[in-house]
């Protein structure tokens, strides 16, 4: 059974935590709470970087959910796109 196209964790963070609460909390504030620089958090939210185990732990403490759930989200995203690449290459 073919998996649906899962969202990048950054897209999920934007749609669930940032967009609905933009008047209450900023990217800078979340980055501060995560203990990372704002550009680091922006790269994640803009889907230019992936969630590492360390970031998964930080996200679980600040945004909730388990570290494993954050890593699973990243893994599902990565696997889906790797399958797409291999199918396009004819494998």
């Amino acid at each position: 059974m073919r998996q649906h196209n899962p969202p990048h964790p950054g897209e999920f963070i934007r749609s669930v935590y940032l967009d609905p609460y933009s008047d209450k909390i900023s990217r800078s504030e979340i980055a501060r709470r995560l203990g990372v620089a704002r550009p680091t958090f922006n790269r994640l939210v803009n889907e230019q970087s992936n969630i590492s185990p360390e970031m998964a732990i930080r996200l679980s403490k600040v945004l909730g959910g388990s570290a494993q759930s954050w890593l699973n989200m990243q893994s599902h995203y990565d696997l889906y796109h790797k399958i797409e690449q291999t199918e396009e290459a004819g494998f």
Side-chain angles (χ1 to χ4, degrees), residues 32-91:
R32 185 191 67 73
R33 290 181 187 184
L34 289 170
V36 300
R38 187 174 193 271
T40 300
F41 182 63
N42 277 338
R43 281 192 301 277
L44 173 60
V45 171
N46 293 330
E47 304 174 36
Q48 297 168 339
S49 67
N50 296 329
I51 291 179
S52 66
E54 180 182 345
M55 181 59 84
I57 293 167
R58 291 171 187 249
L59 288 167
S60 71
K61 290 180 179 180
V62 174
L63 299 180
S66 69
Q68 187 64 50
S69 68
W70 288 105
L71 287 175
N72 284 342
M73 187 181 304
Q74 184 67 59
S75 179
H76 288 139
Y77 176 85
D78 292 342
L79 181 59
Y80 176 86
H81 288 281
K82 186 52 72 176
I83 289 170
E84 289 289 305
Q85 288 176 350
T86 58
E87 287 178 354
E88 289 174 6
F91 292 110

